[in-house]
Amino acid sequence: MPETRRDFLRKVGIAGGAGVMYGTMAALGLAPAAAQTPTYTAPHQGDLRGGPKTIIVLGAGIAGLTAAYELGKAGYKVTVLEARNRPGGRNWTVRGGTVETDLKGITQTADFSRGEYMNAGPARIPQHHITLDYCRELGVPIEAFANQNANAYLYREGDTALSNRAVRHRAAKADVYGYVSELLAKATDQGALDAHLTPEDKESLIEFLTDFGDIGPKVPGDPGASFRYTGSPRRGYKTPPGAGLQEGTELPPYALSDVLASGVGNYFSFEFGWDQAMMMFQPVGGMDRIPYAFEKAIGPEKITYGAKVLGLRNTSSGIEVDHMTWEGQIRRLQADFGICTLPPHIAATVPGNLPARTIEALKYAEPTDAGKMGIEYSRRWWELDHRIYGGITNTDTDLRNIWYPCSGFNGGHGTLIGYYNVGSQARRFGAMHPDQRLARALELGAQVHGPVYARDVSAAFSVDWASVEHSEGAWTAWPSQTDPRYKELLEPAGNIYFAGSHLSHAISWQHGAMVSARAVVTSLHSRVTRT
Amino acid sequence: MPETRRDFLRKVGIAGGAGVMYGTMAALGLAPAAAQTPTYTAPHQGDLRGGPKTIIVLGAGIAGLTAAYELGKAGYKVTVLEARNRPGGRNWTVRGGTVETDLKGITQTADFSRGEYMNAGPARIPQHHITLDYCRELGVPIEAFANQNANAYLYREGDTALSNRAVRHRAAKADVYGYVSELLAKATDQGALDAHLTPEDKESLIEFLTDFGDIGPKVPGDPGASFRYTGSPRRGYKTPPGAGLQEGTELPPYALSDVLASGVGNYFSFEFGWDQAMMMFQPVGGMDRIPYAFEKAIGPEKITYGAKVLGLRNTSSGIEVDHMTWEGQIRRLQADFGICTLPPHIAATVPGNLPARTIEALKYAEPTDAGKMGIEYSRRWWELDHRIYGGITNTDTDLRNIWYPCSGFNGGHGTLIGYYNVGSQARRFGAMHPDQRLARALELGAQVHGPVYARDVSAAFSVDWASVEHSEGAWTAWPSQTDPRYKELLEPAGNIYFAGSHLSHAISWQHGAMVSARAVVTSLHSRVTRT
């Protein structure tokens, strides 16, 4: 009787019998998972032999939620105080009905259609970030985030043939890689690099460059004509390949000097950054699916919204927090420990008895400005007219980046990120009224996409993080992360711990907030179980 | 009274008033959409003044379905004959319960779990393919297909330090780009390319290379130490950046000669191919959602499944097709025109009265072999242990490519494409019994991923396209597409037209089948409305 498929699978899969030789990663010196994410051992509930300890977490951003969730799992009694009326902090998804008044007193009401949204804060997740592990653990479905698209544009101001116009990524890349390959192949072949390359190296290098740059062969006796880049199908077509005899008409390459002078290559390295290389992800339905999943897992009753912290003090037996409720009442809470996840420049202003060196450390932090605008259109013209399905157009205008949506493909409405900028560009947009921001965004976007950019707009919402209450900045960096002031905040001030992405080497990422929170949980738990 | 947000949007968006200056694409010489997809004007129903014409389409693959759909929309009376019991042809999604007997008489029954599948044929769609337009028109939801992943591996056999082991794409890319940049910057700076570069070019080029390769600066007076590549965070970490003081420990780069000799760079250009560059897409739930949507739009009653074509003849007034029904009865159908979408090498064997030159042309086609295996696992170890979420590992072993699934992220089960190979590699796998194919695939996969590759296997299914009935090949190419025999099939043989991706310059792609079908529809309709 023949063995069944399942029998067979069991045999080769588990027993790994004769004839099946498996390489072992350990033998090869590889430990792929360990090299991708920081290690963490969650505390166990059984560790708390002296009964549950009480914790007050200040802030229901990602650091606060992570700390509350991990401590809750280990048996701690956790209370989270949050000034906003929602979890997430800078993880903020703006939908139809979102109302926000900024620190200048300007109120915007988002009128995005049902299902449309903008992630005003974090919006993408690399594969190696533990954010994805929390998505798995908390049941938050994820989908691909398009951080790279050959059909998106590069737009550079200047005086070259490629300047002040939209250049497809694919064309810029083909030309830059083509010319780089031609030049290096020529130099290599002519012996200019013989001090650095063996004859075998030279042969392998030229073989690589021929494919990488789509360049021509060596022309014996004619160095000038050798290895020439004369364009490539990779860059796109005037008439694309089609039926029958339509083999396609390639677009000619841009000239070498124009390509180099234009700066179109200066964005390529973004694509292979440790934190930015594809594949990248986003939660289905908005980034705030993560904080809401945390809220559910922690227990909504353990989070007090609308609670403004008025005082934070170490006491002889623990900590004491005064806050004002949303009804305007002042309350005092006490606990064994506190975890402060407020932005450091805001935490520095909370009255209390934190040591002077802690306050000095908190003030050492430097908030960074960033701005984002969501623009909803009633027609997905970037797909229909430009064949751009997700991805990023990068400019050197004040828009900096335009993001095409990564969900709802081929649908009706769609919401672009009309700009995502930082620093002085963000400040120039931030200084405008939201209506003027939109007018300016449409003007600059039309430079890239043509008049279609200003048609069919159905809603818009903009965020200037410097003027967002409770944040006053997009993220918080440090002049130096080896400075004693930075190190000061890695240790508790009495019974008060500090957490947030600013206390990590993944600043501005949710991952940074999560690893920082885990470090505090580990430290706090170790202290509790030692005593 | 202040204007409302909607008033404002209407003003800036539609009127484009003072202060809003729009660049026009036309003025810039850009016509982005036209450069992406072939043009097509669908025939109008009103054109058929002499009443409906009748059409028999042979084959319900993508070409046949597209032709039937477009002609149906225009008012033609269409009948489709299909030998299989399903639409799609080589667009074939294998699910739990799929039973297939190959030409050698070997029967496989897929026992994939509910929701799991493998796309045995086409599996990815570029943005510029009209396949996406049909998805939109037919209401087939799409999602991103991961055609590129920095965390996936490259595996090359050989005798370098990088050989016979899994190398992350990101590490290979950082090292290759780093060394290429170092070498070209050195040659440029030392004047080796002064015949080709102006001083401004040189400055721009070195600025680009410094960013592109993450290389060091010029060291005045020390050419050897200038522009050195000494590794980069891009390539990954031994210990990744984490909380507090964990800034991360970078992995050192591979040596220049090893990088060049290993061939790890020889796959990079795949990522920027016209048809392969991200973003890429797939229908949600399997590629066969497209043929089933076509079936519904055409009308299932117009498609006869299980119909084997026995004869195809031009008659004085049209065409005549004999076929055997699945019950074994022989039927004769007549129509004004026929469209034959059978693979050409199979069409050449159909009895009838096609002219000798047509038969010769059909026989000129060359079928290509390809093989694919789906392996379902009960644990998504590639995500959990390797942090690989979608994408492709490329090898130079017989596996050629391993595809990680692009749906069901973070879930329980998942189905890899265990190999996707062509030519001799496909033939070697094809020659084996499916169980032996699996054993071999697990053995070769474990070289890359370690023993985990052979654990937790819950189902597998393999397709050797050369031995698939009604296809006898993965796709069909030509020695030359300017040969008169190729051109012969672009014209009707009497009242019989030919369509398929083999009659396009997008061979093997659904897009090719679609543009070919559209060309036939246009040609046929023009003939009908001329008379």
Side-chain angles (χ1 to χ4, degrees):
Chain A
M1 194 178 144
E3 64 185 3
T4 68
R5 171 56 62 90
R6 288 214 182 269
D7 288 340
F8 178 79
L9 288 171
R10 204 165 298 121
K11 198 169 67 184
V12 300
I14 296 172
V20 183
M21 205 184 68
Y22 303 121
T24 66
M25 301 303 269
L28 296 167
L30 297 172
Q36 296 278 318
T37 54
T39 52
Y40 173 63
T41 308
H44 294 288
Q45 188 147 4
D47 295 346
L48 289 175
R49 287 175 302 271
K53 293 286 179 180
T54 54
I55 314 281
I56 297 172
V57 176
L58 305 189
I62 295 300
L65 292 167
T66 304
Y69 173 67
E70 292 292 344
L71 289 169
K73 282 199 295 185
Y76 288 80
K77 290 188 67 174
V78 183
T79 300
V80 184
L81 299 178
E82 167 57 47
R84 293 179 164 98
N85 59 2
R86 59 167 181 81
R90 286 162 291 168
N91 176 327
W92 180 28
T93 301
V94 176
R95 295 190 174 75
T98 298
V99 181
E100 179 81 1
T101 301
D102 68 17
L103 290 170
K104 300 171 191 163
I106 299 171
T107 298
Q108 290 182 81
T109 302
D111 52 4
F112 293 128
S113 308
R114 191 177 167 82
E116 294 296 319
Y117 65 84
M118 74 176 279
N119 289 322
R124 50 190 166 193
I125 311 172
Q127 293 165 97
H128 55 81
H129 279 192
I130 59 171
T131 319
L132 290 189
D133 297 328
Y134 280 111
C135 287
R136 186 191 304 110
E137 188 167 334
L138 299 169
V140 175
I142 58 169
E143 63 193 359
F145 176 89
N147 214 27
Q148 173 183 341
N149 191 336
N151 273 10
Y153 296 112
L154 295 163
Y155 184 93
R156 299 281 175 270
E157 297 184 318
D159 54 10
T160 76
L162 286 74
S163 306
N164 313 313
R165 57 183 290 182
V167 176
R168 296 264 190 198
H169 273 250
R170 66 164 73 246
K173 190 181 276 188
D175 286 358
V176 171
Y177 290 10
Y179 287 125
V180 159
S181 296
E182 173 178 347
L183 291 167
L184 184 53
K186 281 187 156 109
T188 302
D189 185 59
Q190 290 160 39
L193 293 159
D194 285 1
H196 307 285
L197 298 170
T198 67
E200 294 74 29
D201 289 344
K202 290 170 66 171
E203 195 180 329
S204 301
L205 178 58
I206 287 175
E207 188 186 335
F208 163 75
L209 294 170
T210 301
D211 171 67
F212 181 71
D214 203 4
I215 57 176
K218 176 169 179 165
V219 180
D222 191 346
S226 291
F227 310 116
R228 284 195 60 198
Y229 174 69
T230 56
S232 167
R234 297 170 187 168
R235 65 189 315 294
Y237 289 85
K238 191 169 190 312
T239 314
L245 299 173
Q246 297 170 35
E247 60 181 344
T249 312
E250 288 178 26
L251 286 163
Y254 300 119
L256 171 62
S257 291
D258 287 337
V259 168
L260 293 176
S262 66
V264 289
N266 65 8
Y267 182 67
F268 295 163
S269 67
F270 173 81
E271 286 173 14
F272 26 100
W274 166 245
D275 280 331
Q276 300 288 1
M278 290 289 273
M279 292 296 293
M280 300 283 286
F281 292 85
Q282 64 181 9
V284 175
M287 192 58 85
D288 68 354
R289 299 301 88 196
I290 295 174
Y292 282 105
F294 266 123
E295 180 196 61
K296 188 178 168 193
I298 292 165
E301 72 285 0
K302 291 177 184 151
I303 307 176
T304 305
Y305 291 109
K308 284 198 186 174
V309 173
L310 301 177
L312 171 62
R313 279 176 302 281
N314 276 293
T315 63
S316 57
S317 61
I319 65 143
E320 193 169 77
V321 182
D322 295 333
H323 70 276
M324 185 160 68
T325 68
W326 66 271
E327 301 100 326
Q329 294 180 310
I330 293 176
R331 291 269 166 79
R332 173 163 296 179
L333 294 179
Q334 284 161 336
D336 296 318
F337 299 99
I339 301 176
C340 175
T341 71
L342 309 186
H345 50 294
I346 294 179
T349 67
V350 174
N353 63 1
L354 284 174
R357 64 174 192 281
T358 305
I359 300 292
E360 193 197 346
L362 291 167
K363 286 181 171 168
Y364 179 58
E366 291 184 342
T368 299
D369 295 330
K372 251 188 200 176
M373 170 176 281
I375 310 178
E376 181 184 337
Y377 293 86
S378 57
R379 178 173 177 270
R380 295 174 77 100
W381 52 264
W382 51 94
E383 295 172 358
L384 292 161
D385 302 345
H386 295 255
R387 308 296 293 198
I388 297 173
Y389 284 73
I392 298 175
T393 278
N394 176 264
T395 80
D396 62 358
T397 70
D398 276 355
L399 296 179
R400 182 61 71 171
N401 296 294
I402 296 169
W403 291 10
Y404 310 96
C406 308
S407 60
F409 297 113
N410 268 344
H413 285 234
T415 302
L416 294 188
I417 297 299
Y419 61 77
Y420 172 30
N421 48 27
V422 296
S424 58
Q425 295 173 324
R427 282 189 287 276
R428 279 196 287 277
F429 266 103
M432 299 180 210
H433 183 275
D435 287 346
Q436 268 55 54
R437 289 177 199 159
L438 176 60
R440 179 70 177 148
L442 296 181
E443 179 186 349
L444 292 173
Q447 287 179 353
V448 180
H449 300 88
V452 71
Y453 200 85
R455 291 189 200 122
D456 304 315
V457 174
S458 63
F461 192 96
S462 58
V463 176
D464 165 45
W465 278 102
S467 58
V468 172
E469 195 186 4
H470 311 305
S471 295
E472 301 180 28
W475 55 81
T476 312
W478 306 90
S480 159
Q481 283 183 273
T482 54
D483 188 277
R485 284 165 286 190
Y486 172 77
K487 292 180 183 172
E488 179 68 34
L489 299 175
L490 303 179
E491 299 299 326
N495 299 315
I496 298 168
Y497 290 73
F498 299 93
S501 84
H502 54 284
L503 296 174
S504 81
H505 281 268
I507 285 175
S508 86
W509 294 95
Q510 297 178 88
H511 174 75
M514 288 164 169
V515 295
S516 168
R518 284 180 170 187
V520 162
V521 166
T522 300
S523 169
L524 192 155
H525 187 66
S526 159
R527 178 171 163 185
V528 165
T529 51
R530 245 197 339 267
T531 56
Chain B
M1 195 177 140
E3 65 185 3
T4 66
R5 170 58 61 90
R6 289 215 180 271
D7 287 341
F8 178 80
L9 289 171
R10 202 168 297 120
K11 198 168 70 183
V12 300
I14 295 171
V20 184
M21 206 185 67
Y22 303 119
T24 65
M25 300 304 268
L28 297 167
L30 297 173
Q36 293 280 319
T37 54
T39 53
Y40 173 64
T41 309
H44 295 288
Q45 188 145 6
D47 294 346
L48 288 176
R49 288 176 300 270
K53 294 285 179 179
T54 53
I55 313 281
I56 296 172
V57 176
L58 305 189
I62 295 300
L65 291 168
T66 304
Y69 173 68
E70 293 291 343
L71 289 168
K73 282 199 296 185
Y76 289 80
K77 290 187 67 174
V78 183
T79 300
V80 184
L81 298 178
E82 168 56 48
R84 293 179 165 96
N85 59 2
R86 59 167 180 83
R90 286 163 289 169
N91 176 325
W92 179 28
T93 301
V94 177
R95 294 189 175 75
T98 298
V99 181
E100 179 81 2
T101 301
D102 69 18
L103 290 169
K104 300 172 192 163
I106 298 172
T107 298
Q108 290 181 80
T109 302
D111 52 4
F112 293 127
S113 307
R114 190 177 171 82
E116 294 297 318
Y117 65 84
M118 74 175 279
N119 289 323
R124 51 190 166 193
I125 312 172
Q127 294 165 95
H128 55 80
H129 279 192
I130 60 170
T131 318
L132 290 189
D133 298 329
Y134 280 111
C135 287
R136 186 190 302 109
E137 189 167 335
L138 299 169
V140 175
I142 58 170
E143 63 193 0
F145 175 89
N147 214 28
Q148 172 183 342
N149 191 337
N151 273 11
Y153 295 111
L154 296 163
Y155 184 94
R156 300 280 174 269
E157 297 183 320
D159 53 10
T160 76
L162 286 73
S163 305
N164 312 314
R165 58 184 287 181
V167 175
R168 297 263 189 198
H169 273 251
R170 66 165 74 245
K173 190 180 275 188
D175 286 357
V176 172
Y177 289 11
Y179 288 125
V180 159
S181 296
E182 174 178 345
L183 292 167
L184 184 52
K186 281 186 156 106
T188 302
D189 185 59
Q190 290 160 38
L193 293 159
D194 284 1
H196 308 285
L197 298 170
T198 67
E200 295 74 30
D201 290 344
K202 289 170 66 172
E203 194 180 331
S204 301
L205 178 57
I206 287 176
E207 188 186 334
F208 163 74
L209 293 170
T210 302
D211 172 66
F212 181 70
D214 202 4
I215 57 176
K218 176 169 179 165
V219 179
D222 191 347
S226 291
F227 310 116
R228 283 195 62 198
Y229 174 69
T230 56
S232 167
R234 297 169 186 166
R235 66 190 314 295
Y237 289 85
K238 191 169 190 310
T239 314
L245 298 174
Q246 298 171 33
E247 62 181 342
T249 312
E250 288 178 26
L251 286 163
Y254 300 118
L256 170 62
S257 291
D258 287 337
V259 168
L260 293 176
S262 66
V264 288
N266 65 8
Y267 182 67
F268 295 163
S269 67
F270 173 83
E271 287 173 14
F272 27 97
W274 167 245
D275 280 331
Q276 299 288 1
M278 290 288 274
M279 291 297 296
M280 301 283 286
F281 291 86
Q282 64 182 8
V284 175
M287 193 57 86
D288 68 353
R289 299 301 88 195
I290 295 174
Y292 282 104
F294 266 124
E295 180 196 61
K296 188 179 168 192
I298 292 164
E301 72 286 359
K302 292 176 183 154
I303 307 176
T304 305
Y305 292 109
K308 287 199 187 176
V309 173
L310 301 176
L312 171 62
R313 281 176 302 279
N314 276 295
T315 64
S316 57
S317 61
I319 65 143
E320 195 168 76
V321 182
D322 295 332
H323 69 276
M324 185 160 66
T325 67
W326 65 271
E327 302 99 326
Q329 295 180 311
I330 293 175
R331 291 270 166 77
R332 173 163 294 180
L333 295 179
Q334 284 162 336
D336 296 320
F337 299 100
I339 301 175
C340 175
T341 71
L342 309 186
H345 49 293
I346 294 178
T349 67
V350 174
N353 63 0
L354 286 174
R357 65 173 190 283
T358 305
I359 300 291
E360 194 195 347
L362 291 167
K363 286 182 173 169
Y364 178 59
E366 290 184 343
T368 299
D369 296 330
K372 251 189 200 175
M373 169 176 283
I375 310 177
E376 181 185 339
Y377 292 85
S378 57
R379 178 173 177 270
R380 294 173 80 99
W381 52 265
W382 51 93
E383 296 172 358
L384 292 161
D385 303 344
H386 295 254
R387 308 296 295 197
I388 297 173
Y389 284 73
I392 297 175
T393 278
N394 176 263
T395 79
D396 62 358
T397 71
D398 275 356
L399 296 179
R400 183 61 71 173
N401 297 294
I402 296 169
W403 291 9
Y404 310 95
C406 309
S407 60
F409 297 112
N410 269 344
H413 285 233
T415 302
L416 294 188
I417 297 299
Y419 61 77
Y420 173 31
N421 49 27
V422 296
S424 58
Q425 295 173 323
R427 282 189 287 277
R428 279 194 289 276
F429 266 103
M432 300 180 210
H433 183 275
D435 288 345
Q436 268 54 56
R437 290 178 199 159
L438 176 59
R440 179 71 178 148
L442 295 181
E443 179 184 352
L444 293 174
Q447 287 178 354
V448 181
H449 300 87
V452 71
Y453 201 85
R455 292 190 200 122
D456 303 315
V457 174
S458 63
F461 191 96
S462 58
V463 176
D464 165 47
W465 278 102
S467 58
V468 172
E469 195 184 4
H470 311 306
S471 295
E472 300 179 28
W475 55 82
T476 312
W478 306 90
S480 159
Q481 283 184 273
T482 55
D483 189 278
R485 284 165 286 188
Y486 172 77
K487 293 179 183 172
E488 180 67 34
L489 299 176
L490 304 178
E491 299 298 326
N495 300 314
I496 297 168
Y497 291 74
F498 299 92
S501 85
H502 55 283
L503 296 173
S504 81
H505 281 269
I507 285 174
S508 86
W509 294 95
Q510 297 178 85
H511 175 76
M514 288 165 170
V515 295
S516 169
R518 284 179 168 187
V520 162
V521 166
T522 300
S523 170
L524 192 155
H525 186 67
S526 159
R527 177 170 164 185
V528 165
T529 51
R530 242 191 349 261
T531 54

